[in-house]
Amino acid sequence: EEKGLLTPGATIIEPTSGNTGIGLACVKACAKEGAIVYMAARNLERAQEIADTLNAEGCNVKCVYNDATKPEFTQELFVHQYDTLINYLQAANPHLTMIFMTNNDSYIRRKTPNKNALVAQAAFVELAEKHQAALWDVFDMMGGLGSARRWRDKALMKPDLVHFTNAGYEYLGDCLFEAIMHDYQQYLKTKPHE
């Protein structure tokens, strides 16, 4: 806010849960400053109650479902919510360039591979095709369903089998950079010389 980056009418995309703890405090502070806030949440019902309360106070808070571990998670819902966000962003910037990163592999309660990861991956592929966007398939790069344990065994994933370690996030960043540079080099080879 002090640097002028948070101004009324700005859009904030909250990538983590926003209906508890520090995430909720961030959502409230940004919304009360006039920002449009997209609040990702695992408990959509609770998030919508919070959004309704803040919106009644003049804020502009929208909820996005953020939990592929729940039975009610569907590709259709996932795509619909991303479409809403993408349409909003494209209205603000018609020349928007996007790179979709698929979900990572994860486990439910450290015991069972999350089969909804396959649904989320398919949704990202659908979105990338629909919006003519780039796609980096993290799920596939990891090794697909059940690969989180191998990443944990290499100290790249935390014991919860959901989140990466610092080394894991750094490795992902390096891999993304290499993928972008590889494709850029391929583009330069095929680009007609001017």
Side-chain angles (χ1 to χ4, degrees):
E1 185 177 17
E2 292 174 5
K3 294 179 182 178
L5 299 174
L6 178 61
T7 58
T11 300
I12 303 294
I13 301 170
E14 176 65 30
T16 61
S17 182
N19 63 353
T20 59
I22 196 164
L24 177 57
C26 179
V27 166
K28 284 181 178 178
C30 293
K32 289 187 178 194
E33 286 295 320
I36 301 167
V37 180
Y38 283 84
M39 178 172 53
R42 291 182 178 168
N43 184 336
L44 196 55
E45 210 172 280
R46 176 166 158 62
Q48 192 59 57
E49 289 173 11
I50 293 166
D52 290 346
T53 300
L54 290 170
N55 291 339
E57 296 172 12
C59 296
N60 190 350
V61 178
K62 300 172 187 338
C63 297
V64 180
Y65 189 56
N66 184 31
D67 195 353
T69 64
K70 303 288 183 186
E72 60 268 21
F73 178 82
T74 66
Q75 183 171 337
E76 181 181 22
L77 174 63
F78 191 84
V79 168
H80 172 73
Q81 289 186 343
Y82 264 89
D83 275 338
T84 301
L85 176 59
I86 291 164
N87 291 336
Y88 176 79
L89 295 172
Q90 286 178 327
N93 181 357
H95 304 290
L96 179 69
T97 300
M98 295 178 284
I99 299 176
F100 286 98
M101 284 178 51
T102 66
N103 51 293
N104 57 279
D105 182 51
S106 62
Y107 276 64
I108 298 172
R109 295 188 182 97
R110 300 181 195 164
K111 295 179 183 174
T112 310
N114 181 5
K115 292 182 181 175
N116 278 345
L118 296 164
V119 177
Q121 179 193 33
F124 278 117
V125 170
E126 179 183 336
L127 285 161
E129 289 173 359
K130 182 177 186 179
H131 295 283
Q132 299 177 346
L135 175 75
W136 186 48
D137 196 339
V138 176
F139 182 76
D140 188 57
M141 188 268 301
M142 284 183 71
L145 192 64
S147 61
R149 284 195 173 164
R150 291 189 298 276
W151 281 61
R152 180 204 56 203
D153 294 346
K154 293 180 188 258
L156 297 172
M157 196 155 226
K158 292 184 177 182
D160 66 3
L161 296 170
V162 173
H163 302 96
F164 295 98
T165 61
N166 287 343
Y169 283 116
E170 287 175 16
Y171 179 69
L172 286 174
D174 290 343
C175 289
L176 176 59
F177 176 78
E178 287 177 22
I180 291 170
M181 292 309 296
H182 175 268
D183 283 2
Y184 179 67
Q185 293 298 324
Q186 294 302 110
Y187 163 76
L188 290 178
K189 288 179 186 175
T190 60
K191 176 184 166 196
H193 297 289
E194 297 175 4

